[in-house]
Amino acid sequence: RDPKKAKLVGVEAKRIGSATDWFIQQEFKLVLPLNQVTPLTPIEQEAVQNCLQAWQTFKQQRPDLIAAVTGIQTELTDGEIVGHPDLIVQTPERFGIIDVKTSKAIQSTHWVQDIAYLDLHPPVPVTLGVFIGILRLDKQTGQPEYRELFDPLELARLAEVWRAYRTLYQHQERHRELLRGRREQEALDVA
């Protein structure tokens, strides 16, 4: 793959996702500075319009989920780990976290991100069924794709993957801190 082309595709995807996210948050009456959305190219504008069309279709298909939204972009923290799940949903029977994506397909990493949000969230009553969901808003077709995982064994497997990522992150941070400390000590020894 061409790294320069991959970087451009990534930048475009982030701009489309950020703009779509901004419009959805506006719908939920969240006030955000407009400068968070950078000017879009005509191609990006069309992609955002398609994503918003997919959002409208999803709302018509799943009014139950939309009515059950209790949080949007809620900050969740645990030490140095911070997350902002797109939608937190709760009904008398279920609790879930839904992440909104504008990617070409639902990826396995999306599920790990979703389970990380669930891990960061305060515990929910054991009487509630727990799920994670991915809502993909197709930027080409304007159609939504929504999938949920709610099987406790599958959620536990994903939680293991998340914990492994987190352990690796913490190990890397400790290693960086040790290196930084050594460099500082070497600089002091030279002076």
Side-chain angles (χ1 to χ4, degrees):
R1 292 182 61 181
D2 179 6
K4 288 181 182 178
K5 185 176 181 182
K7 185 176 180 178
L8 288 175
V9 168
V11 167
E12 179 183 87
K14 185 175 181 179
R15 289 165 47 94
I16 292 167
S18 294
T20 301
D21 202 40
W22 185 84
F23 283 108
I24 291 171
Q25 290 180 42
Q26 291 306 301
E27 187 170 315
F28 281 93
K29 308 289 191 253
L30 294 178
V31 179
L32 298 173
L34 186 57
N35 64 3
Q36 285 188 347
V37 179
T38 55
L40 302 173
T41 67
I43 290 172
E44 292 169 338
Q45 288 177 5
E46 181 180 345
V48 170
Q49 287 302 317
N50 286 339
C51 290
L52 295 175
Q53 177 183 329
W55 170 250
Q56 294 303 321
T57 300
F58 176 73
K59 289 189 328 181
Q60 292 170 355
Q61 292 171 346
R62 294 301 304 266
D64 59 314
L65 287 176
I66 300 302
V69 170
T70 60
I72 182 165
Q73 291 289 321
T74 303
E75 183 170 283
L76 304 174
T77 61
D78 183 8
E80 72 282 357
I81 307 290
V82 178
H84 297 91
D86 291 326
L87 303 172
I88 297 176
V89 175
Q90 185 166 346
T91 69
E93 300 83 27
R94 297 186 344 136
F95 174 87
I97 293 183
I98 300 172
D99 209 26
V100 180
K101 299 294 185 187
T102 60
S103 56
K104 290 183 180 180
I106 294 175
Q107 306 290 329
S108 60
T109 54
H110 297 158
W111 295 110
V112 176
Q113 180 183 4
D114 230 4
I115 203 75
Y117 293 146
L118 188 60
D119 186 54
L120 291 172
H121 193 278
V124 298
V126 294
T127 57
L128 295 178
V130 175
F131 72 94
I132 56 176
I134 304 292
L135 169 57
R136 189 180 70 82
L137 305 174
D138 195 299
K139 55 190 164 198
Q140 293 178 331
T141 67
Q143 292 300 308
E145 175 186 6
Y146 179 69
R147 293 189 5 216
E148 282 184 7
L149 295 179
F150 47 83
D151 175 57
L153 293 175
E154 182 68 12
L155 294 176
R157 185 191 68 74
L158 282 169
E160 285 180 28
V161 172
W162 158 242
R163 283 191 288 278
Y165 279 135
R166 186 174 182 162
T167 299
L168 179 60
Y169 167 79
Q170 290 167 336
H171 171 74
Q172 289 173 330
E173 288 302 304
R174 282 191 301 273
H175 183 69
R176 282 188 193 113
E177 190 60 31
L178 285 171
L179 285 176
R180 189 177 67 73
R182 286 183 191 152
R183 287 186 192 127
E184 287 176 359
Q185 187 59 46
E186 288 171 1
L188 291 173
D189 290 345
V190 171

